[in-house]
Amino acid sequence: MQIIETVLLFIQNQVLGMKWLNELIGFGLSSLGMDLSTRIGSSIQFFIYDVIKILLLLSILIFIISYVQSYFPPERTKRILGKYKGIVANTLGALLGTVTPFCSCSSIPLFIGFTNAGLPIGVTFSFLISSPLVDLGAFILLVSIFGVKIAIIYVVVGLILAVVGGTVIDKLHMENEVEDYVHQITSINIEEPDLSKSDRIEYAKEQTLQTVKKVFVYVLVGVGVGAVIHNWIPQEWIQSILGSENPFSVIIATLVGLPMYADIFGTIPIAEALFTKGVGVGTILAFMMAVTALSLPSIIMLRKAVKPKLLILFVSIVTIGIILIGYLFNALQFMFI
């Protein structure tokens, strides 16, 4: 058992966490005469290390995920999901979201396509919640920073939220609350291309490049904010606002995340910095989920596809779910850390 734990810690710290990279960067900066004990020096080391680590892991993971995705084009996905109903279909819709490396805004066109194809509205909303929220790439990055337990927690609660949210919307029969034009879009059934292995590799390369380009700015901003929190904001300030002593910490974290727009990869460095400052796991999860699932731009885009009643219901369900999850995991934090 001790050997297994040692191997897992090595994978978490050195393979995924790349602690060796942090030491290498520290050595290089010190060799250039930089004092890493100062706030500026520590911030620069944090920034360079996190940017390189996230982009490197992201590129590898997106390539693998995209290669797998090449076997599941939209037409095949629609046929698979169309075979099931009820909570099983919602669960499959949520799981589908885990292998789509999209932000909330880029998930909406797929949501429209699935709705137009006649899939139950609950399934499409389970996908819409899960897609930006739960990502296999994000899972690996979370493991590298927080460990396996918290990473698994994040994925599980994200999937539960997606399934429950989709199920509630399905039970309320909100089909008529989708804008009319969505159902009027001409659906074209394109034959699935018979791709060769080299074609799939090329597709994966293109998807990796496009995804990295898309999230690059968010990663830079996220790591920059994380560096500021990590090295410049006193722990007492963070604790007073988002610490366990503040009963409204989860609500504050959720409301702060709502107007923001960032990919899940941009929120991870901020979450890492908050974690080192002693912020509760539930509060961090609430912040990450609010940013990725309920960003203001995605809500504005979604409004073009659904009517106000359904939009308000969607935002209300997800917001309440995020807050409940935050408080629950703050209360149970002792079980995971």
Side-chain angles (χ1 to χ4, degrees):
M1 183 62 69
Q2 184 63 41
I3 296 176
I4 295 176
E5 290 181 1
T6 301
V7 172
L8 290 176
L9 282 175
F10 177 81
I11 293 174
Q12 177 183 329
N13 294 328
Q14 300 300 333
V15 178
L16 300 177
M18 298 186 190
K19 299 301 182 184
W20 56 269
L21 176 62
N22 193 36
E23 295 173 2
L24 181 63
I25 292 171
F27 176 77
L29 293 175
S30 297
S31 300
L32 294 174
M34 183 172 293
D35 185 356
L36 300 182
S37 64
T38 64
R39 286 180 174 179
I40 293 178
S42 181
S43 296
I44 291 175
Q45 181 182 10
F46 180 96
F47 184 85
I48 295 174
Y49 161 64
D50 253 31
V51 168
I52 294 176
K53 179 188 72 173
I54 290 175
L55 291 179
L56 183 58
L57 282 175
L58 177 62
S59 298
I60 295 171
L61 293 167
I62 295 301
F63 180 86
I64 296 172
I65 293 170
S66 298
Y67 185 85
V68 174
Q69 274 188 307
S70 69
Y71 288 93
F72 296 93
E75 291 303 322
R76 177 179 295 177
T77 302
K78 291 176 187 177
R79 287 203 299 271
I80 293 174
L81 291 178
K83 295 178 181 178
Y84 302 92
K85 295 181 179 180
I87 195 168
V88 174
N90 290 341
T91 301
L92 289 175
L95 289 172
L96 173 65
T98 66
V99 292
T100 50
F102 302 119
C103 64
S104 52
C105 284
S106 54
S107 300
I108 292 173
L110 273 178
F111 160 79
I112 292 174
F114 289 154
T115 303
N116 175 256
L119 293 180
I121 193 168
V123 176
T124 60
F125 268 95
S126 288
F127 166 81
L128 184 64
I129 297 171
S130 172
S131 180
L133 199 62
V134 185
D135 189 284
L136 293 178
F139 171 76
I140 300 298
L141 288 174
L142 285 167
V143 171
S144 73
I145 296 171
F146 302 112
V148 176
K149 287 184 179 179
I150 293 179
I152 291 176
I153 289 169
Y154 180 82
V155 171
V156 170
V157 298
L159 288 174
I160 291 174
L161 180 59
V163 173
V164 171
T167 301
V168 171
I169 290 174
D170 187 56
K171 295 299 182 182
L172 292 176
H173 303 290
M174 306 295 288
E175 291 82 4
N176 293 331
E177 295 302 316
V178 176
E179 293 289 354
D180 294 336
Y181 83 88
V182 172
H183 297 293
Q184 295 169 358
I185 297 174
T186 303
S187 179
I188 301 175
N189 188 0
I190 302 174
E191 287 295 321
E192 298 167 12
D194 185 15
L195 300 177
S196 65
K197 187 168 295 186
S198 60
D199 291 333
R200 299 185 191 281
I201 291 175
E202 190 61 33
Y203 169 79
K205 288 180 180 178
E206 292 176 0
Q207 288 294 103
T208 301
L209 184 60
Q210 291 177 14
T211 303
V212 171
K213 283 182 177 179
K214 182 177 65 176
V215 306
F216 182 72
V217 173
Y218 301 126
V219 171
L220 292 182
V221 172
V223 174
V225 173
V228 171
I229 295 173
H230 191 276
N231 297 291
W232 293 87
I233 300 180
Q235 183 164 342
E236 296 76 19
W237 292 11
I238 300 292
Q239 286 285 352
S240 65
I241 300 173
L242 297 176
S244 58
E245 298 300 319
N246 186 348
F248 302 105
S249 61
V250 172
I251 297 175
I252 293 172
T254 303
L255 294 178
V256 168
L258 288 179
M260 298 177 64
Y261 177 57
D263 193 276
I264 180 65
F265 304 107
T267 66
I268 289 176
I270 301 175
E272 178 184 12
L274 291 174
F275 188 65
T276 61
K277 292 291 185 179
V279 177
V281 172
T283 304
I284 293 173
L285 290 179
F287 170 76
M288 294 177 66
M289 288 181 169
V291 172
T292 53
L294 293 174
S295 67
L296 188 57
S298 68
I299 293 174
I300 293 172
M301 287 187 64
L302 183 59
R303 170 61 188 91
K304 296 182 182 298
V306 302
K307 298 176 182 178
K309 184 178 179 180
L310 179 52
L311 181 65
I312 292 172
L313 178 63
F314 166 73
V315 172
S316 300
I317 290 173
V318 177
T319 301
I320 293 171
I322 288 173
I323 291 173
L324 291 176
I325 286 169
Y327 279 115
L328 176 63
F329 281 94
N330 273 349
L332 300 178
Q333 180 165 320
F334 67 93
M335 298 174 59
F336 312 113
I337 299 178

